[in-house]
Amino acid sequence: MVLEYEDFRLRKLEELRRLGIDAYGRRFDGAVPVRELLDGFEQRQGETVRAAGRIATLRAMGKATFAHIKDRTGQIQVFFQLNRLGPEVFHVHEQLEPGDIVGVEGELTRTRTGEVTIFVDEFVVLAKALLNPPEKWHGLRDVEKRCRQRYADLFSNDDVAAGFRRRIEIVAAIRTYLQERGFLEVETPMMQVIPGGAAARPFRTHHNALDIDLYLRIAPELYLKRLLVGGMERVFEMNRNFRNEGISTRHNPEYTMLEAYQAYADYRSMMDLTEGLISHLAGDVCGSLRQTFGEREVDFTPPWPRRPFWSLLEEHVGIRRGEVGAIRAQAGRLELEGAATQHPDWLAMQILDKCVEDRLAGPVFVVDYPKTVCPLTKARPDDPELAERFELMVAGMEVANAYTELNDPREQERRFLEQVGHEEERERVDRDFLRALAYGMPPAGGVGIGIDRLVMLLTNSASIREVILFPLLRPEEDL
C-alpha cells in the first residue's frame, strides 16, 4: 500500500525545503517538560525557556498566531508574532500545521487572558506531518483504527495515553512489591523444544542451524521450577506467552503473564501473596480499593472469600461431586465437545467456566479443583482426589491461577504419561524437567497472574485490546 499524503502539506514541505529548512530536524536540547513549566510558572515567569512537542491547535490572526504544543506531560500555549520573529522567520512559521512537531524558545509569561504562554523568539521544525491529525484532534473513535493506528490513538486521545501510563505504573509496582519480598526477577527461554507448563496450542517455528522445530512458550513454569531446584528460592518472571488460539475481548495470542514461585510455601501462601499484591495495586497505585469495572463495583479490600470448586458447582448448577450422570447431562445441554466421552472432571471445569464464572463478582478464590485437571499440582493430604489449586475470579473473569507445586518426580512422571496418553506421544514429556525434580525441588507454591486482564480491571477497560499497545489484528490488506 502506498500512502496518499495531503497535497497542501506536501506543498508546505516543499516551501520549507526551498527556504533551506530541514523539515525533519535533529536533536533539540534543553526542552523543559510542559507540566514543569505550568506548575513552576510563578518561579520561572519572565525566563527564556525551551519546549518541544506536537502542535495541537493553530489559530492564525494576520501578523500573529496562537498555538498549543503538546508533549507527554501536557500542553502549553505558544505565541508567534511577526514583530518578534521578523518577516523571514514568520514566513517559515506559516508553513506549520496541526500535527507538526516543533521546538520553541522564548519568554514564559501570561497573555492578557491569563493563560501561561511562551512568546516565541526562535523555533525549529523537528518533524513535518504529511497526514492530518485524526478527526481534527477529537481522536480516533473506530476501535479497529484505534488498535491499528495506536500511534495516532495515543497522541490524539489523552485518556488512552493515560491508560497505558497506568499500565506501566502497575507493572513497575508489581516488580517493586515482589523484589521487596525477596523475589528475584529472572528470564527463561521463549523458544522451547517441548512446550510445557499449560494445556494450550503452541506456535511452531524452525531453527535452521540446529535443524529442529521449536515452539514459542505457552508458559514459563517448568523453567522457573528448575530454578527452585537450583536454589533460587523466590523467583518471578514478567513474561510474554504465546497461544495459537482464539481472539476475544479477553484473549490475545500474545499476552503478558506474571509467574512467581516461592520455596517452602503452598497455595495458601500464594493466596496471601496475590491478595496482598492486587489490593496494593488497587489502593496505592490506582487510588482506591473500590474499583469500577463496567457496571460492577469491585471491592478489593482483604480478606477475600475462598470458595471450594464443588460447592460452587452445587450452589449455582445443582451438581454435586461424584454425580457423573448429572455432569454429562449438563455438558450435553451446553453442547460441550466430548460430553459423553470426556473425563467428567474436565467437563465439570467447562461447566464452571460457562455457568458459574460470570456470577462471581469477586474477588473470590475458587479452591480445591479436581486433581485430574491439575497435572502439576499436589493433592490435598486429607482428600487425595482434590488438588491444592486456586483460581482468582474477579468480575466474572479468571485473573490468577496457582498451585501447591508437585515435587515428587515419580508422581510427576506418572501424571505426565497419563496426560499424553498414547505411547507415540511420549516424546512430549519434558524429561529434563523430571531429571531436575529428581535432584530435589523444595516444597513450593506458584502463581500466574494475567497482567493484561488485571490492567483491564484496574483501568475499567472492556476489552484486552484497550490495554495492549499493539494487539494482533487481521492484516489490513485482507479487510
Side-chain angles (χ1 to χ4, degrees):
M1 179 182 73
V2 178
L3 284 176
E4 296 182 2
Y5 302 112
E6 301 293 339
D7 287 342
F8 77 96
R9 288 178 177 268
L10 288 173
R11 289 194 295 271
K12 294 201 170 190
L13 173 64
E14 291 306 314
E15 178 63 9
L16 288 173
R17 287 176 171 168
R18 188 190 69 78
L19 295 170
I21 303 296
D22 180 1
Y24 299 96
R26 301 183 183 275
R27 60 187 290 172
F28 185 78
D29 293 330
V32 179
V34 164
R35 178 50 50 193
E36 189 176 320
L37 294 176
L38 296 174
D39 291 345
F41 173 74
E42 298 302 329
Q43 292 74 39
R44 307 189 72 146
Q45 184 176 6
E47 287 185 12
T48 297
V49 298
R50 287 160 70 84
R54 190 181 295 273
I55 297 175
T57 67
L58 198 65
R59 182 164 53 97
M61 305 168 60
K63 296 181 180 181
T65 298
F66 284 99
H68 286 90
I69 62 171
K70 180 178 180 180
D71 70 3
R72 69 186 188 282
T73 67
Q75 69 176 32
I76 190 170
Q77 182 167 267
V78 296
F79 182 55
F80 299 93
Q81 190 177 31
L82 175 61
N83 291 343
R84 201 173 186 108
L85 295 174
E88 292 183 3
V89 176
F90 193 77
H91 178 60
V92 173
H93 123 276
E94 290 176 323
Q95 313 312 312
L96 299 178
E97 291 290 334
D100 293 350
I101 299 174
V102 297
V104 301
E105 179 178 296
E107 181 186 358
L108 184 68
T109 184
R110 289 189 190 272
T111 61
R112 283 177 295 184
T113 61
E115 185 170 356
V116 176
T117 303
I118 299 173
F119 280 59
V120 179
D121 293 316
E122 297 180 14
F123 73 94
V124 59
V125 182
L126 298 174
K128 181 67 182 171
L130 301 182
L131 295 175
N132 290 326
E135 299 181 20
K136 298 181 180 179
W137 287 89
H138 294 300
L140 290 170
R141 292 292 177 262
D142 180 87
V143 175
E144 184 80 13
K145 279 188 177 181
R146 286 182 52 228
C147 295
R148 196 174 296 282
Q149 299 180 29
R150 185 67 83 194
Y151 38 86
D153 190 28
L154 287 167
F155 75 66
S156 62
N157 288 334
D158 289 343
D159 56 339
V160 171
F164 281 106
R165 283 196 296 271
R166 176 52 53 86
R167 178 186 172 120
I168 292 166
E169 292 168 0
I170 289 169
V171 170
I174 290 171
R175 285 193 162 96
T176 300
Y177 187 91
L178 291 172
Q179 289 166 347
E180 288 176 348
R181 284 153 182 80
F183 285 82
L184 303 176
E185 184 172 11
V186 297
E187 297 174 321
T188 62
M190 297 176 69
M191 294 191 298
Q192 302 177 356
V193 176
I194 300 173
R201 181 183 299 166
F203 289 93
R204 177 183 291 186
T205 186
H206 187 79
H207 191 284
N208 291 331
L210 295 179
D211 193 24
I212 57 172
D213 284 342
L214 294 170
Y215 301 88
L216 297 183
R217 71 175 168 205
I218 56 176
E221 177 171 346
L222 302 188
Y223 282 93
L224 291 171
K225 288 181 182 178
R226 285 171 167 92
L227 298 180
L228 294 181
V229 173
M232 301 178 75
E233 295 174 353
R234 296 190 180 198
V235 294
F236 77 95
E237 184 172 10
M238 202 81 70
N239 57 82
R240 302 293 284 178
N241 289 340
F242 307 85
R243 300 190 180 182
N244 195 356
E245 297 169 352
I247 296 176
S248 73
T249 57
R250 298 181 180 184
H251 298 89
N252 191 67
E254 177 184 2
Y255 64 98
T256 303
M257 176 75 76
L258 164 71
E259 289 209 15
Y261 291 83
Q262 180 178 338
Y264 315 114
D266 65 4
Y267 76 140
R268 296 173 187 85
S269 311
M270 295 298 102
M271 281 187 239
D272 295 339
L273 180 70
T274 302
E275 186 178 82
L277 170 61
I278 296 178
S279 60
H280 164 69
L281 296 175
D284 295 348
V285 179
C286 299
S288 175
L289 287 167
R290 295 179 181 270
Q291 294 287 325
T292 299
F293 183 68
E295 297 181 355
R296 290 169 161 166
E297 182 181 76
V298 180
D299 186 354
F300 287 101
T301 304
W304 303 342
R306 304 178 180 190
R307 300 293 310 279
F309 175 93
W310 286 111
S311 70
L312 284 170
L313 212 57
E314 181 176 354
E315 176 184 337
H316 293 282
V317 190
I319 294 175
R320 293 186 177 88
R321 180 180 174 185
E323 293 183 338
V324 175
I327 292 172
R328 294 202 184 281
Q330 179 67 15
R333 286 190 288 272
L334 295 172
E335 299 181 344
L336 298 181
E337 184 178 350
T341 58
Q342 197 173 22
H343 194 290
D345 288 346
W346 284 102
L347 295 174
M349 277 279 290
Q350 296 175 66
I351 293 169
L352 189 86
D353 290 347
K354 289 184 176 294
C355 301
V356 180
E357 282 190 7
D358 195 52
R359 304 181 190 184
L360 302 177
V364 57
F365 292 114
V366 181
V367 302
D368 301 338
Y369 281 70
K371 185 181 73 173
T372 311
V373 302
C374 309
L376 296 164
T377 313
K378 272 189 176 177
R380 282 185 51 158
D382 61 334
D383 192 341
E385 295 307 309
L386 296 181
E388 292 193 341
R389 171 187 179 180
F390 76 75
E391 289 187 356
L392 173 64
M393 301 294 176
V394 186
M397 182 164 55
E398 178 198 339
V399 177
N401 187 19
Y403 311 142
T404 298
E405 303 298 337
L406 184 60
N407 63 339
D408 179 339
R410 292 192 299 173
E411 174 64 11
Q412 184 65 84
E413 182 176 19
R414 188 191 68 76
R415 299 252 202 112
F416 275 163
L417 295 175
E418 184 180 79
Q419 186 181 31
V420 299
H422 303 296
E423 184 74 29
E424 61 271 18
E425 294 180 339
R426 293 194 172 193
E427 70 274 6
R428 290 164 45 197
V429 172
D430 190 336
R431 297 199 174 277
D432 181 68
F433 173 66
L434 294 174
R435 178 168 52 198
L437 288 187
Y439 278 106
M441 186 183 89
V447 63
I449 299 175
I451 298 300
D452 306 311
R453 291 186 181 181
L454 180 59
V455 174
M456 284 174 62
L457 289 166
L458 296 178
T459 58
N460 193 14
S461 301
S463 171
I464 201 169
R465 285 184 170 191
E466 296 178 22
V467 299
I468 296 176
L469 280 168
F470 299 102
L472 185 66
L473 301 170
R474 188 182 300 278
E476 197 167 1
E477 57 269 22
D478 292 345
L479 299 177

